[in-house]
Amino acid sequence: MLDSASTSSISARAPRSDRRSQLDALRRAFTGLDTEYPLADGTTAPRTYLDSAASTLRCSAADDIVRRALRHYANTHSTLHAGARIMTHLYEQAHEIVGRFVDAPDDYTTVFTGSGVTGGLNRMARVLAERRPERDLVITTLMEHHANDLPHRKHVGEVVHVPLENDPDGEAGRVDLSALRAAIDEHADRLNYVAVTAASNVTGIVNPVHEVARHAHAAGALCVVDAAQSAAHVPISVQGPDAAEALDVVCMSGHKLYAPGSPGVIVAREALFEGLEPQVVGGGIVDRVETDRYEITDALPEREEAGTPNLPGALRLAATLQLLGRIGMDLVAEDERELAQYALERFAAIDGLTIYGSHRLEVADRIGVIAFNLADLPHGLVAAALNDYFGVAVRNECFCAQPFVRELLGRAGNAGGAADGAECGPETQPGMVRASLGLYNTEQDIDAAVEALSDLAARPDWYREQYRPRLDGSGDWVHRSFEHPPEQAFSLEEEVDAWLQSAN
């Protein structure tokens, strides 16, 4: 169900064929797609970026739009000179665009906060703990990122982790709704809210967040959704099929939405903030200040955004979301599903490669995130070799989801020489390798990764000879002879000196 503003926005979209052309053009409008690095064999090659679950590349189309907007740059909180008036208007428009992207109705507010979902979830944990102090328990799932676990422990109190479903193949799937209902029933009198990720950053599995909200609301609890991984990949709406399934809080990260340098975002019911002192105080949120007292404005989101805002970042995020919204997240999700299916099939065909989590799309919905290990090779060595010999950028270790990763490793055995979590050492730190997709990825990127992984699988002993463990507890491995120091790629000091010399 969409509110009138969202319906108006959608009805203004171009025909599907035009939107498809726009999407194809947008795929190429990202900074860093043509970046090249030296390889261990002495050649240089463009990188294949498969690390979007950690941070997406930045949309250059949005950057161009923001660059033009910043010709008017001035601070907000004033309307009496042209620049300030224009930037205040654009900042207000940015809030509206973000709210519209998740179909937020009029009784919700959009708040820019912190450096990502971590800032938003910490803020909301403090707000909800203060609003409902008699409810000192939060239910979450085993698959959560640390950002959707630790803030609730610190600010609310006890956290109960519910398990996940097993698919017919015995693989971990989405949250177990039966276990969730049982936990809600058991703790209903203390339950403040259920905090759930919309999609796992380890397996990519998508959770039924509106069903979760319905069960939470039935017990008088709220539903807080971490949309860090999902928002750039599938449509999300705070409104459910009916009022009982609406989401109370949704948190997103600009750096995972093709807008690195942008703030995090909270979209939440206005009523959750009413009557509470803001968590952060300072300029811009007060109606009156005396030496012995101050009066906080009632206006939202102003009262929750103390200080000078990150205007360039907020505008960048809004421009990016407007582009995605007008093209249509339905098309984005449709294309990613096809590419994820292609990737899963190709990865699964590699000898000795174990994919973690349910990986049949007809069994469990998932976004383009694939965590895996190669038999006979540690995760840190695999990630390093993919970079050093093939220019393929992936992530390894535990992805800030240590309990979930250890659980998955325990289910599937100690693939890649990784420990199951009972014992951790310099060379046995548990972990996985993760390839993750963005709007800019293609079948050619998947093919490049598969070709590289197939070579590693075919020659594990040779690759082991090229590397040594870092022995710092990270599980990382480094090449014995090849180096590419970061200062060779870019130096701020050298760039500044070059500019100054050009000015002479």
Side-chain angles (χ1 to χ4, degrees):
M1 181 173 65
L2 305 180
D3 63 324
S4 58
S6 298
T7 303
S8 173
S9 174
I10 290 174
S11 64
R13 287 177 182 164
R16 182 183 176 88
S17 60
D18 291 347
R19 292 194 289 131
R20 171 65 63 184
S21 297
Q22 293 165 352
L23 178 58
D24 290 341
L26 188 62
R27 293 183 196 283
R28 302 185 293 273
F30 287 89
T31 300
L33 290 179
D34 58 353
T35 302
E36 295 188 352
Y37 296 120
L39 302 182
D41 63 4
T43 63
T44 299
R47 68 172 173 179
T48 299
Y49 190 80
L50 293 174
D51 195 22
S52 291
S55 190
T56 55
L57 299 181
R58 202 155 105 169
C59 179
S60 56
D63 275 351
D64 291 341
I65 293 167
V66 173
R67 191 174 298 110
R68 293 194 292 274
L70 291 180
R71 293 171 50 243
H72 306 283
Y73 181 79
N75 206 340
T76 56
H77 304 128
S78 175
T79 60
L80 295 185
H81 72 77
R85 185 163 58 249
I86 293 167
M87 296 311 292
T88 298
H89 164 72
L90 291 176
Y91 191 53
E92 292 171 354
Q93 190 178 47
H95 288 84
E96 295 168 1
I97 289 171
V98 174
R100 190 163 60 236
F101 185 76
V102 296
D103 297 327
D106 291 342
D107 58 344
Y108 282 66
T109 188
T110 297
V111 178
F112 293 118
T113 179
S115 57
V117 157
T118 299
L121 289 171
N122 272 277
R123 171 80 66 90
M124 291 311 304
R126 295 194 299 269
V127 167
L128 296 179
E130 184 177 353
R131 176 159 292 285
R132 297 150 64 92
E134 73 284 1
R135 291 178 173 261
D136 61 348
L137 184 140
V138 174
I139 292 175
T140 188
T141 80
L142 185 63
M143 68 165 62
E144 303 304 319
H145 188 283
H146 299 161
N148 199 27
D149 181 355
L150 303 185
H152 317 309
R153 301 192 203 187
K154 178 176 177 61
H155 301 299
V156 181
E158 184 178 351
V159 172
V160 173
H161 299 84
V162 298
L164 311 177
E165 292 180 347
N166 287 337
D167 73 6
D169 302 317
E171 300 289 350
R174 66 184 192 171
V175 59
D176 185 328
L177 290 176
S178 296
L180 176 69
R181 289 193 297 270
I184 290 174
D185 290 343
E186 179 181 354
H187 302 289
D189 59 334
R190 295 175 55 200
L191 181 59
N192 195 323
Y193 55 91
V194 177
V196 61
T197 184
S200 168
N201 75 313
V202 178
T203 64
I205 300 294
V206 174
N207 278 320
V209 292
H210 291 291
E211 289 186 59
V212 172
R214 175 160 47 84
H215 296 310
H217 293 157
L222 302 171
C223 182
V224 175
V225 173
D226 172 0
Q229 283 302 323
S230 68
H233 305 279
V234 293
I236 184 168
S237 170
V238 299
Q239 303 185 66
D242 58 56
E245 297 191 353
L247 311 178
D248 301 292
V249 179
V250 172
C251 294
M252 300 183 291
S253 285
H255 77 96
K256 295 184 191 289
L257 276 161
Y258 307 113
S262 296
V265 181
I266 299 168
V267 181
R269 296 183 188 274
E270 290 185 347
L272 298 178
F273 298 99
E274 291 174 355
L276 299 180
E277 177 90 353
Q279 295 296 317
V280 179
V281 296
I285 70 167
V286 290
D287 287 332
R288 185 177 183 86
V289 177
E290 304 287 352
T291 56
D292 59 348
R293 67 184 181 89
Y294 56 87
E295 298 174 7
I296 302 292
T297 180
D298 291 330
L300 283 166
E302 289 83 357
R303 69 194 313 272
E304 293 294 329
E305 295 185 345
T308 297
N310 176 2
L311 278 168
L315 299 184
R316 182 180 301 114
L317 176 58
T320 304
L321 296 189
Q322 182 73 353
L323 285 165
L324 292 172
R326 293 300 292 269
I327 290 172
M329 288 303 297
D330 56 331
L331 290 185
V332 172
E334 182 182 298
D335 275 17
E336 181 165 315
R337 184 180 177 87
E338 292 178 1
L339 188 59
Q341 180 70 62
Y342 180 79
L344 287 165
E345 292 173 357
R346 295 227 56 199
F347 275 55
I350 298 172
D351 289 341
L353 189 144
T354 299
I355 297 175
Y356 297 99
S358 183
H359 48 275
R360 287 195 288 146
L361 295 185
E362 68 274 17
V363 172
D365 286 338
R366 62 186 294 161
I367 59 173
V369 174
I370 303 172
F372 62 91
N373 268 315
L374 269 182
D376 303 322
L377 287 174
H379 59 87
L381 193 157
V382 172
L386 287 174
N387 176 80
D388 297 345
Y389 284 93
F390 303 95
V392 176
V394 295
R395 190 139 305 235
N396 70 300
E397 300 183 23
C398 290
F399 324 122
C400 294
Q402 290 184 22
F404 187 29
V405 167
R406 291 190 176 111
E407 171 78 7
L408 291 172
L409 290 170
R411 291 179 188 223
N414 298 333
D420 64 4
E423 298 291 339
C424 299
E427 297 185 44
T428 57
Q429 179 71 16
M432 303 170 178
V433 185
R434 183 183 67 190
S436 51
L437 306 180
L439 194 59
Y440 27 72
N441 288 123
T442 64
E443 288 188 358
Q444 288 71 33
D445 295 334
I446 303 303
D447 293 342
V450 168
E451 180 179 350
L453 288 166
S454 297
D455 193 65
L456 268 66
R459 300 192 295 154
D461 293 340
W462 185 88
Y463 280 101
R464 270 190 179 270
E465 292 174 359
Q466 313 310 311
Y467 287 86
R468 58 177 175 80
R470 197 182 289 275
L471 298 179
D472 60 357
S474 66
D476 289 350
W477 290 59
V478 294
H479 202 280
R480 293 184 183 277
S481 59
F482 171 67
E483 289 184 322
H484 179 222
E487 59 270 20
Q488 290 184 5
F490 197 92
S491 167
L492 290 174
E493 293 174 346
E494 291 177 4
E495 291 293 321
V496 169
D497 289 343
W499 187 91
L500 291 172
Q501 289 176 4
S502 70
N504 291 333

